[in-house]
C-alpha cells in the first residue's frame, strides 16, 4: 500500500510540472529573474544594516545612511517605481529622479538618530487608522510615525521619539531588542511565541511585553521606577507575616504579577497570595510568570489550595502556590476577606477604598499607592476637589500635604465602614504617594480617627501653617502677624487633612529588620530616615542596635520582635483581638504620649534663607536648633527640609543668628534670640 501511495504522489507531481511548463515557461523564467533581483536588493540593503541586527530583524525605515534607503528601490532601472515607505494612495509611482528627491526631502530629512541608526519617518499602515471627522475609521488616514530602534513602539512626533530614546538611555537600554516585520500591529499585545523581555527584580523573574513601559499601548504595564514602592510594600507585608501566619494577601492590580510573585517567592508558607486583574492578557502573563518562577497556579477556587486544583505544572517541585483570578478588584474585595490588601491602580485609588475596607480583617493592613501626581501636587485643583474632596494650593510642603490628603481620604472611607485607622507609613516621592494603614474595627476607633481630620490654616505671605481647632478664628490661629501688617486677606483654609502622625516608629524598625533580612539595600537609607523623622531626632544610633528589635505595642497588640540571639523563623500569633480592658489601657497610654508625636510639616532652609547671607550647612543648622531646645530632624519629603516643633519666627531667628554675611567670614551675632525665645 505504501508503494502504491508513493507512485500516485509521484505521478501527480509529474503532471503538475508538465502543466506549468506547457502554460507559462516564459512567465516562470521572468519570475525567477525577479526573485533573483529581489535577493540582490535585499543583500545590498543588508550591507548597510548595523552589525547587531539584519534588515529582516528591523523595520526598513531604520538605516545607517541615505544609500541604504535608496537601495530599497532600484533607482538606476527604467520605468516608474513606488516609494518603499509610502502607500500607493499617498505617493504614486514615479520615475527615479523624482523618487530620489522624495526620499531625500521627506523621509531622510526628518530622521531621528540613535547610536548611528537613522529612524526615518514612515507612512506605511503600521499603526491603526486615524478616524475621520465623521468618526468613520475606514475613511480615515494613516498617521506618519517613527519606529523605535530599541523597542517595538511607533511614535508619531519627532520630539516624542527623542524623549522616548532618552528614557531608554537613562534605563541603560542602548541595544536594539526588537525583532519583527513592518506589518506588525504594534499597538496590540504581542502574541504568544513572540520574544519577551525578561527582567529580574528581588530574585523574581518576569517576562514583559516589548511595550511594557507605555500604559496606553500595553495592558501589562511595568514601571521600573516603582521598585522602591514595591520594596516598601514587601517589607510592610513581611512585618505583618511575623505577627500572624499564614495571612491572606491580595495584589488587586496584578499587571505582570511582579509584586505578588515576590511575596510568594520570599515569604513562602507565611502568606497566601491572590493576584487579580481584569485583563485577559495580564492574567495569561501572570500565569506564565508563575511558571517561570516555579510557582504553582491556583485556578481561582478559594479554599482549595493544593496540588489537586493546580492548573499549570512545572518541572520540579513548586515552591509555593499563588491564586490568579480574572475579576474586577472591587468584586474581589467584596467577595473574600483578606489580612493585607495592596491597591496600586494607574492613577487615583479612591474608587477602590470602600470595597477594601468592607472585608478587611481586624488589625489587617491596607497599602494604597497613588500616582496621580498632578492632582496630588496641586497642579490640577479641580481634579483634587473632585477625587479627594480637599482644597489645596501649591506650598513649600506640598508633598506632605499630598500624603495627609490621601490619609484623610482613606480615613473617611474606613469611617463609612465603622472602622478606624492607624497610619504606619506615609511616603511621598517624585512619582507616587504610598500610604500604609492598620485597620481598627469598631465605631469608637472610627470616631477617634475622624477627630484627627481638620482644616489647615496657611499664610500665603510667610507660609506659616497650623491646624485649625474648633471654635478658633482663622486670623487668631496663626502665630505670625502677617494679617495685621499686610493689607488684605493673607490666610486661607486648606483641607480637610489628616492632622495625626504619619509614621509608627515600632513598625518602621521592624520594616528595617525585614529589609536587612531580605537584602534590600536600596530602601534601607530611606527607612532609616523615616525612623529618625518619626522620632523627630537626628540621632542615628536609634536606628541601630538592639533597640531597633525590641518589643513594640501597636493598637493593643504586644508584638515580640527578633533579638540578636533569636531565630528569625519564630513568629508570634499576636493578631488576635485583645480584651477591651487591655485595649482601653493602651489607647489611654497612646493619648498620654500624643505630645511625643512628630510635629506636622517642615520648613525648607532655602525657602527661608536671608538675602546677602551665607547659610550654615544643613547638619550644622540641625545641631544649632537642637541646642536651642527644639526637636528637629530631616525629612524624606524634601532634602532641604527641616521638621521641627519651632515656629517659623523661631526658625528664622536661629537661621539668622548663624548665617554669615556674603562679603565677610565673621559670624553675624548681633541678632538676639531672647525676644522670640
Amino acid at each position: 500500500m505504501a508503494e502504491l501511495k508513493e507512485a500516485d504522489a509521484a505521478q501527480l507531481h509529474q503532471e503538475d510540472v508538465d502543466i506549468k511548463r506547457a502554460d507559462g515557461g516564459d512567465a516562470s523564467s521572468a519570475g525567477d529573474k525577479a526573485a533573483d533581483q529581489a535577493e540582490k536588493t535585499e543583500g545590498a540593503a543588508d550591507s548597510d544594516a548595523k552589525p547587531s541586527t539584519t534588515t529582516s530583524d528591523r523595520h526598513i525605515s531604520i538605516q545607517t545612511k541615505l544609500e541604504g534607503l535608496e537601495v530599497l528601490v532600484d533607482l538606476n532601472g527604467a520605468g516608474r517605481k513606488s516609494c518603499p515607505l509610502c502607500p500607493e494612495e499617498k505617493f504614486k509611482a514615479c520615475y527615479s529622479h523624482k523618487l530620489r528627491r522624495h526620499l531625500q526631502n521627506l523621509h531622510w530629512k526628518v530622521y531621528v538618530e540613535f547610536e548611528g541608526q537613522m529612524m526615518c519617518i514612515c507612512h506605511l499602515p503600521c499603526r491603526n487608522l486615524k478616524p475621520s471627522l465623521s468618526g468613520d475609521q475606514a475613511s480615515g488616514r494613516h498617521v506618519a510615525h517613527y519606529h523605535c530602534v530599541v523597542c517595538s513602539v511607533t511614535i508619531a512626533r519627532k520630539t516624542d521619539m527623542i524623549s522616548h530614546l532618552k528614557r531608554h538611555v537613562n534605563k541603560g537600554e542602548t541595544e536594539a531588542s526588537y525583532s519583527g516585520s513592518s506589518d506588525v500591529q504594534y499597538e496590540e499585545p504581542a502574541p504568544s511565541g513572540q520574544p519577551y523581555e525578561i527582567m529580574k527584580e528581588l530574585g523574581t523573574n518576569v517576562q514583559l511585553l516589548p511595550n511594557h513601559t507605555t500604559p496606553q499601548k500595553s495592558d501589562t504595564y511595568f514601571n521600573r521606577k516603582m521598585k522602591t514602592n514595591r520594596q516598601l510594600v514587601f517589607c510592610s507585608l513581611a512585618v505583618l507575616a511575623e505577627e500572624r501566619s499564614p495571612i491572606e494577601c491580595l495584589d488587586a492590580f496584578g499587571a505582570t504579577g511582579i509584586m505578588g510573585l515576590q511575596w510568594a517567592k520570599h515569604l513562602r508558607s507565611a502568606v497566601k497570595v491572590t493576584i487579580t486583574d481584569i485583563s485577559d492578557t495580564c492574567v495569561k502573563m501572570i500565569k506564565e510568570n508563575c511558571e517561570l518562577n516555579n510557582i504553582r497556579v491556583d485556578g481561582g477556587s478559594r479554599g482549595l489550595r493544593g496540588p489537586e486544583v493546580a492548573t499549570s505544572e512545572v518541572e520540579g517541585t513548586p515552591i509555593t502556590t499563588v491564586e490568579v483570578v480574572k475579576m474586577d478588584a472591587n468584586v474581589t474585595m467584596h467577595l473574600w476577606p483578606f489580612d493585607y490588601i495592596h491597591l496600586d491602580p494607574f492613577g487615583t485609588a479612591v474608587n477602590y477604598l470602600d470595597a477594601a475596607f468592607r472585608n478587611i480583617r481586624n488589625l489587617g493592613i491596607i497599602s494604597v499607592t497613588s500616582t496621580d501626581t498632578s492632582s496630588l501636587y496641586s497642579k490640577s485643583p479641580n481634579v483634587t476637589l473632585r477625587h479627594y474632596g480637599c482644597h489645596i494650593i501649591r506650598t513649600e510642603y506640598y508633598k506632605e500635604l499630598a500624603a495627609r490628603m490621601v490619609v484623610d481620604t482613606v480615613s473617611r472611607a474606613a469611617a463609612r465602614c465603622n472602622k478606624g485607622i492607624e497610619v504606619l507609613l506615609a511616603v511621598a516621592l517624585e512619582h507616587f504617594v504610598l500610604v500604609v494603614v492598620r485597620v481598627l474595627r469598631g465605631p469608637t476607633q472610627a470616631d477617634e480617627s475622624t477627630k484627627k481630620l481638620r482644616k489647615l490654616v496657611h499664610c500665603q505671605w510667610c507660609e506659616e501653617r497650623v491646624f485649625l481647632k474648633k471654635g478658633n478664628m482663622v486670623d487668631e490661629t496663626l502665630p505670625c502677624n502677617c494679617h495685621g501688617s499686610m493689607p488684605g486677606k493673607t490666610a486661607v483654609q486648606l483641607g480637610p487633612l489628616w492632622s495625626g502622625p504619619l509614621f509608627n516608629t515600632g513598625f518602621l524598625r521592624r520594616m528595617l529588620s525585614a529589609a536587612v533580612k531580605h537584602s534590600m539595600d536600596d530602601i534601607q537609607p530611606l527607612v532609616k530616615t523615616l525612623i529618625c523623622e518619626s522620632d523627630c531626632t537626628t540621632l542615628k544610633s536609634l536606628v541601630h542596635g538592639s533597640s531597633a528589635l525590641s518589643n513594640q505595642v501597636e493598637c493593643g497588640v504586644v508584638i515580640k520582635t527578633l533579638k540578636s540571639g533569636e531565630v528569625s523563623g519564630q513568629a508570634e500569633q499576636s493578631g488576635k483581638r485583645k480584651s477591651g480592658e487591655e485595649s482601653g489601657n493602651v489607647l489611654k497610654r497612646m493619648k498620654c504620649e500624643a505630645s511625643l508625636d512628630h510635629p506636622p510639616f517642615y520648613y525648607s532652609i532655602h525657602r527661608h534663607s536671608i538675602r546677602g547671607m551665607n547659610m550654615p550647612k544643613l547638619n550644622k543648622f540641625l545641631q544649632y536648633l537642637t541646642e536651642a531646645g527644639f526637636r528637629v530632624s530631616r525629612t524624606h519629603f524634601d532634602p532641604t527640609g527641616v521638621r521641627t516643633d519651632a515656629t517659623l519666627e523661631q526658625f528664622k531667628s536661629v537661621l539668622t543668628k548663624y548665617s554669615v554675611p556674603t562679603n565677610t567670614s565673621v559670624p553675624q551675632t548681633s541678632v538676639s534670640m531672647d525676644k522670640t525665645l
Side-chain angles (χ1 to χ4, degrees):
M1 294 295 295
E3 294 177 357
L4 292 175
K5 290 181 180 180
E6 292 179 0
D8 294 338
Q11 183 178 0
L12 291 174
H13 177 70
Q14 185 64 31
E15 291 177 357
D16 292 339
V17 172
D18 295 340
I19 292 173
K20 290 180 181 180
R21 289 179 178 177
D23 293 342
D26 297 338
S28 177
S29 60
D32 294 339
K33 292 181 180 179
D36 295 340
Q37 183 65 27
E39 292 179 358
K40 292 180 181 179
T41 304
E42 292 178 1
D46 287 339
S47 63
D48 294 328
K50 62 179 182 179
S52 59
T53 57
T54 62
T55 307
S56 60
D57 294 331
R58 66 182 183 185
H59 196 263
I60 58 176
S61 63
I62 303 174
Q63 300 293 335
T64 57
K65 48 188 176 181
L66 178 60
E67 289 76 6
L69 191 63
E70 294 177 350
V71 81
L72 296 175
V73 184
D74 186 14
L75 296 179
N76 297 325
R80 299 176 182 269
K81 301 175 182 61
S82 301
C83 176
L85 298 179
C86 295
E88 185 68 24
E89 58 271 14
K90 179 176 177 59
F91 185 81
K92 296 183 179 180
C94 61
Y95 292 103
S96 300
H97 66 282
K98 290 185 178 181
L99 181 57
R100 181 180 287 107
R101 188 163 58 247
H102 168 78
L103 293 175
Q104 293 177 357
N105 297 335
L106 178 64
H107 297 286
W108 184 260
K109 190 175 182 179
V110 291
Y111 67 80
V112 179
E113 182 180 2
F114 180 77
E115 299 290 336
Q117 302 296 320
M118 313 301 179
M119 289 165 280
C120 305
I121 193 167
C122 175
H123 293 270
L124 295 175
C126 305
R127 297 167 59 93
N128 292 335
L129 282 174
K130 185 176 181 180
S132 60
L133 296 178
S134 61
D136 186 11
Q137 189 176 13
S139 60
R141 60 182 180 87
H142 291 283
V143 180
H145 55 275
Y146 295 90
H147 291 264
C148 180
V149 70
V150 179
C151 62
S152 62
V153 174
T154 57
I155 298 178
R157 297 183 179 180
K158 182 177 180 179
T159 55
D160 294 343
M161 174 57 76
I162 295 174
S163 302
H164 176 77
L165 294 173
K166 288 181 180 179
R167 288 193 291 269
H168 278 305
V169 173
N170 295 335
K171 297 175 184 178
E173 301 170 351
T174 58
E175 296 182 359
S177 59
Y178 163 68
S179 62
S181 58
S182 60
D183 56 351
V184 177
Q185 296 292 334
Y186 299 112
E187 284 76 11
E188 299 295 329
S192 179
Q194 181 173 341
Y196 293 99
E197 178 183 352
I198 303 298
M199 196 278 307
K200 186 173 184 180
E201 181 181 296
L202 197 61
T204 305
N205 297 318
V206 290
Q207 57 182 4
L208 308 173
L209 295 176
N211 54 353
H212 64 272
T213 58
T214 52
Q216 293 83 4
K217 298 182 180 181
S218 175
D219 293 331
T220 58
Y221 175 62
F222 179 82
N223 191 356
R224 287 187 173 93
K225 294 183 179 180
M226 299 294 285
K227 180 180 179 181
T228 302
N229 177 275
R230 288 188 286 268
Q231 292 186 356
L232 289 173
V233 172
F234 178 88
C235 290
S236 63
L237 177 62
V239 172
L240 184 63
E242 294 178 359
E243 300 177 12
R244 45 185 171 180
S245 179
I247 59 175
E248 296 190 20
C249 50
L250 171 67
D251 182 8
F253 301 90
T256 60
I258 176 66
M259 187 169 290
L261 294 178
Q262 289 177 353
W263 298 349
K265 192 167 186 178
H266 292 275
L267 300 179
R268 302 293 179 91
S269 59
V271 295
K272 295 181 179 179
V273 181
T274 300
I275 306 176
T276 179
D277 204 287
I278 196 63
S279 172
D280 293 326
T281 306
C282 293
V283 172
K284 180 181 179 181
M285 180 159 288
I286 292 171
K287 293 181 179 180
E288 293 176 356
N289 289 333
C290 289
E291 296 180 359
L292 189 63
N293 291 276
N294 197 19
I295 296 176
R296 181 184 290 112
V297 178
D298 194 338
S301 55
R302 287 181 59 87
L304 299 176
R305 296 177 181 268
E308 63 275 9
V309 296
T311 59
S312 62
E313 296 294 335
V314 295
E315 297 181 2
T317 304
I319 57 178
T320 186
T321 302
V322 168
E323 182 179 0
V324 181
V325 182
K326 180 187 179 297
M327 189 179 296
D328 184 76
N330 282 327
V331 178
T332 304
M333 292 183 289
H334 272 293
L335 288 178
W336 303 310
F338 294 96
D339 299 282
Y340 189 99
I341 296 177
H342 177 62
L343 301 176
D344 185 11
F346 186 75
T348 181
V350 294
N351 299 327
Y352 307 94
L353 293 178
D354 291 333
F357 282 100
R358 178 63 59 185
N359 256 349
I360 188 71
R361 292 193 175 99
N362 189 29
L363 300 179
I365 292 179
I366 294 179
S367 59
V368 180
T369 300
S370 300
T371 56
D372 54 332
T373 54
S374 60
S375 58
L376 292 174
Y377 294 161
S378 310
K379 296 179 182 179
S380 303
N382 294 333
V383 181
T384 304
L385 186 62
R386 186 166 66 248
H387 287 173
Y388 300 96
C390 297
H391 169 64
I392 59 174
I393 60 176
R394 185 75 172 190
T395 61
E396 64 170 326
Y397 50 93
Y398 67 95
K399 288 188 178 181
E400 184 170 347
L401 203 66
R404 292 186 179 275
M405 183 174 60
V406 175
V407 177
D408 168 82
T409 308
V410 171
S411 177
R412 283 188 278 112
R416 287 192 289 268
C417 299
N418 285 333
K419 295 181 177 69
I421 64 169
E422 181 196 8
V423 183
L424 304 176
L425 174 68
V427 175
L429 298 179
E430 181 181 359
H431 46 280
F432 72 89
V433 174
L434 172 65
V435 172
V436 181
V437 299
R438 190 187 294 273
V439 181
L440 310 175
R441 280 189 175 179
T444 304
Q445 303 292 344
D447 294 339
E448 291 294 330
S449 298
T450 53
K451 289 178 182 178
K452 298 179 182 179
L453 307 181
R454 299 180 184 177
K455 289 278 189 175
L456 181 72
V457 184
H458 171 82
C459 180
Q460 299 182 90
W461 183 259
C462 66
E463 296 213 20
E464 178 64 291
R465 78 295 307 228
V466 66
F467 281 108
L468 181 64
K469 298 180 181 179
K470 292 183 178 180
N472 286 12
M473 299 297 292
V474 174
D475 292 337
E476 296 176 356
T477 303
L478 286 171
C480 65
N481 195 29
C482 296
H483 67 280
S485 59
M486 300 290 176
K489 183 179 179 181
T490 61
V492 293
Q493 289 190 23
L494 307 180
L497 303 170
W498 174 263
S499 62
L502 294 179
F503 311 101
N504 186 292
T505 308
F507 192 85
L508 289 173
R509 293 183 190 277
R510 291 186 289 138
M511 280 185 60
L512 179 61
S513 176
V516 174
K517 178 181 177 182
H518 295 281
S519 302
M520 298 182 182
D521 299 333
D522 297 336
I523 66 168
Q524 291 182 22
L526 175 59
V527 177
K528 292 177 182 178
T529 302
L530 295 177
I531 293 175
C532 294
E533 187 176 359
S534 63
D535 288 335
C536 198
T537 179
T538 57
L539 299 178
K540 297 294 184 180
S541 59
L542 295 178
V543 180
H544 307 282
S546 59
S547 62
L549 300 176
S550 58
N551 295 349
Q552 304 294 337
V553 179
E554 300 172 12
C555 307
V557 181
V558 181
I559 302 164
K560 182 179 180 182
T561 55
L562 300 179
K563 293 185 179 180
S564 58
E566 294 180 350
V567 183
S568 60
Q570 298 177 354
E572 185 177 359
Q573 297 286 340
S574 56
K576 300 180 181 179
R577 179 181 292 183
K578 299 294 181 181
S579 63
E581 183 179 357
E582 294 180 0
S583 301
N585 294 335
V586 173
L587 291 176
K588 290 180 181 178
R589 191 182 308 118
M590 292 173 62
K591 291 181 180 179
C592 297
E593 296 177 354
S595 60
L596 299 179
D597 294 337
H598 58 272
F601 301 111
Y602 54 89
Y603 302 104
S604 175
I605 188 174
H606 288 288
R607 168 66 176 80
H608 301 287
S609 60
I610 299 96
R611 180 177 297 180
M613 305 283 284
N614 289 332
M615 298 180 300
K617 297 293 184 181
L618 184 56
N619 292 334
K620 281 288 185 181
F621 180 68
L622 297 178
Q623 182 180 353
Y624 297 149
L625 280 174
T626 304
E627 294 174 355
F630 300 112
R631 298 177 61 198
V632 62
S633 70
R634 302 188 68 168
T635 175
H636 81 281
F637 293 110
D638 187 357
T640 64
V642 177
R643 185 180 298 278
T644 178
D645 57 352
T647 63
L648 181 59
E649 188 177 357
Q650 295 169 341
F651 180 88
K652 288 183 176 180
S653 178
V654 177
L655 184 62
T656 305
K657 178 180 178 181
Y658 293 100
S659 296
V660 180
T662 306
N663 54 355
T664 62
S665 59
V666 180
Q668 181 75 15
T669 58
S670 60
V671 181
S672 175
M673 295 172 53
D674 298 334
K675 294 183 180 180
T676 58
L677 300 180

